[in-house]
Amino acid sequence: MGTIILGTGSTLPRRTMSNVDLESIVETSDEWIRTRTGIENRRIGGVGEKTYQLAASAAKKALEMAAVDPKDIDMLVVGTVSSHMLMPSCGCYVQNEIGAAKAFAYDINAACCGFLYGLDIGDRRIRTDRDAKILVIGAETLSSRVNWQDRNTCILFGDGAGAAVLGHSEDPSRRILGTNHCSDGGLWELLYMHQSPSQNPDLLVEDNPGVHIVMEGREVFKHAVKAMEDAITGLFKRTGKTIEDVDLVIPHQANIRILNNLVERLGIDREKVVLNVMNYGNTSAASIPIALDETNRSGRLKTGDTVLFCSFGGGLTWGATLLTW
Ligand code: UT7
C-alpha cells in the first residue's frame, strides 16, 4: 500500500549521432568512445524537439498508459538542467502543452538526479493525499549545453525525455519502499554549468566560460562509483532489503565502466542491470525514466518485482530509490 507508478513514457529525438559522426567534429575515435564509455550513439534534438516538447510527448504516453486524464494531474515536476528558457519553468511549458490545467508545475535542478528527487517529492505528496495524481518527468537537450569543441564532454551527452505517472495503490505488496538521496555542494567544481552573464556588474561571476558543461571526468568517475555504492548500501539498511531481493537495477546511464565497477562492488547479477547507454549516451535527468519506460514496454518488468534506481550528477547529487513494481 503506497505510491506506485501507473504509467511510463519516453520520447527520443529523431536524429541519431554516432561516434563516427563525432570524429569529424572533435579529435576522437569510435574506438576511444566505445571502450571508455560504452556509448555508440546518442540522439540530438532538432526542430520541434525542445526540452519541453520531448517532455510533453513522453508525458502524453505515460498518461495514456496510466489511463489518467491530463486534467486530473495535481502536480507536475520536471527534472532538467537544459530547458530552453529559465522562466517559465519547463514544467509550466509541459503543463500548457498537455492541458494539465489543475496541476501546479515546476522544475527540479538536480542534474542527473532530477527524476529520482522528483519521485521522492511525488511519493511524499501522495502519502499525504492518496487521491493525488502526479507527473514526474526527466527531460534534457544537453546538445544545447555542451561545448562542441570539448572532446572531454561533447561525446558523452544526448537528448531525450522520460515520464512517470504516480498514484496510490491499496495493494500492500506494491509501493515505493524507500529513498536515500544526498548532495555535496562542496564538490560543485567537478561538474558544473554557468548561467548567462549577470546584468548587474556587481554580481558578475568570474571565470565564466559560457553556458556549457564543464567536467573533471576522472574525479567525477571516482565519486560516482563510491557515492552510488554508499547510497544503495544505506538504502538497504533503511529498508531491510539486500541486493539478493532486487529483481532489476535501472541505473543512471553515464558510463558503462562506472556501472561495471558498481556491479562488481555490490555483487549485482549483471543480468539484472538495464543498460541503454550505448544507444543514447548520458541524457542526465532523462536517463532513468527512458530506461524504465523501455523496460516496462518490453515486458521485462513484472508486478511485484523489486526495482532499484540509482543516480549521480552535478551538484554533486546522488541517490537511490527502491520500489516494488
Ligand atoms: O552524469 C554523471 C556525470 N558524468 C559522468 O559520470 C562522467 C564520469 N567520467 C567519465 O565517464 C570518464 O572520466 C570519461 C569518459 C569522461 C573520460 O574517461 P577517462 O578514462 O577518465 O579518461 P581521461 O579523462 O583520464 O582521459 C584519458 C585520455 C587523455 O589524454 P592523455 O592526457 O592521457 O594524453 C584525454 O585527453 O583520453 C583523452 N581524451 C580523449 N581521447 C579521445 C579525452 N576525451 C577524449 C576523446 N577522444 N573524446
Side-chain angles (χ1 to χ4, degrees):
M1 194 169 65
T3 304
I4 60 164
I5 293 176
L6 301 168
T8 59
S10 59
T11 295
L12 280 307
R14 293 176 297 270
R15 180 179 164 208
T16 297
M17 182 184 279
S18 70
N19 292 346
V20 175
D21 293 332
L22 277 160
E23 288 176 1
S24 58
I25 299 174
V26 283
E27 203 183 323
T28 190
S29 67
D30 173 45
E31 206 261 333
W32 191 97
I33 301 172
R34 260 188 300 110
T35 52
R36 299 282 179 135
T37 70
I39 301 166
E40 295 167 19
N41 291 294
R42 71 284 294 139
R43 299 295 183 89
I44 304 294
V47 174
E49 295 174 333
K50 289 190 175 74
T51 306
Y52 81 90
Q53 291 165 321
L54 297 173
S57 168
K60 283 178 190 166
K61 293 172 193 171
L63 287 162
E64 197 185 334
M65 184 189 283
V68 169
D69 192 307
K71 292 188 192 72
D72 292 330
I73 292 295
D74 296 281
M75 183 176 88
L76 192 165
V77 189
V78 183
T80 188
V81 290
S82 54
S83 189
H84 73 299
M85 283 173 79
L86 192 56
M87 184 184 71
S89 66
C90 186
C92 283
Y93 266 92
V94 175
Q95 176 200 21
N96 186 44
E97 196 79 359
I98 68 173
K102 188 173 87 172
F104 68 101
Y106 58 99
D107 294 352
I108 298 179
N109 178 340
C112 306
C113 291
F115 180 75
L116 290 195
Y117 283 20
L119 271 188
D120 187 45
I121 293 167
D123 175 32
R124 286 166 203 278
R125 190 158 186 96
I126 284 172
R127 281 195 238 167
T128 59
D129 175 8
R130 289 182 176 193
D131 293 330
K133 298 284 181 292
I134 292 171
L135 242 178
V136 181
I137 303 171
E140 306 281 9
T141 48
L142 289 172
S143 62
S144 65
R145 296 286 184 274
V146 291
N147 173 359
W148 285 98
Q149 263 86 58
D150 177 14
R151 68 177 185 173
N152 292 294
T153 51
C154 76
I155 56 123
L156 298 171
F157 298 99
D159 304 343
V165 179
L166 307 187
H168 181 266
S169 169
E170 291 294 335
D171 182 343
S173 64
R174 301 183 67 204
R175 66 192 168 94
I176 292 182
L177 297 168
T179 57
N180 187 19
H181 297 320
C182 315
S183 308
D184 185 350
L187 296 170
W188 72 270
E189 277 176 294
L190 298 182
L191 178 51
Y192 61 86
M193 180 163 50
H194 275 275
Q195 264 295 359
S196 52
S198 166
Q199 301 301 312
N200 174 349
D202 291 340
L203 301 179
L204 272 174
V205 177
E206 288 144 27
D207 305 322
N208 180 348
V211 188
H212 56 251
I213 294 170
V214 181
M215 183 171 71
E216 293 279 345
R218 205 176 287 189
E219 281 306 306
V220 174
F221 189 114
K222 281 190 249 164
H223 281 283
V225 176
K226 178 82 174 70
M228 284 194 287
E229 181 187 13
D230 289 349
I232 293 168
T233 312
L235 182 56
F236 285 154
K237 265 198 202 122
R238 232 176 240 191
T239 55
K241 299 280 179 187
T242 68
I243 197 69
E244 279 74 36
D245 297 318
V246 174
D247 297 296
L248 212 59
V249 183
I250 305 183
H252 171 48
Q253 312 281 319
N255 184 323
I256 206 150
R257 287 163 48 226
I258 292 180
L259 298 178
N260 286 343
N261 267 278
L262 194 65
V263 160
E264 260 170 45
R265 280 171 181 244
L266 289 168
I268 305 172
D269 177 354
R270 269 167 209 279
E271 298 289 305
K272 293 180 177 175
V273 182
V274 174
L275 283 178
N276 66 9
V277 67
M278 49 286 189
N279 302 328
Y280 309 131
N282 181 346
T283 56
S284 187
S287 92
I288 288 178
I290 291 171
L292 171 65
D293 182 49
E294 289 190 337
T295 311
N296 191 18
R297 283 175 195 268
S298 74
R300 196 172 163 190
L301 264 171
K302 305 275 180 277
T303 304
D305 275 356
T306 300
V307 184
L308 173 67
F309 299 132
C310 57
S311 190
F312 183 87
L316 296 177
T317 57
W318 64 95
T321 302
L322 200 61
L323 58 87
T324 39
W325 189 253

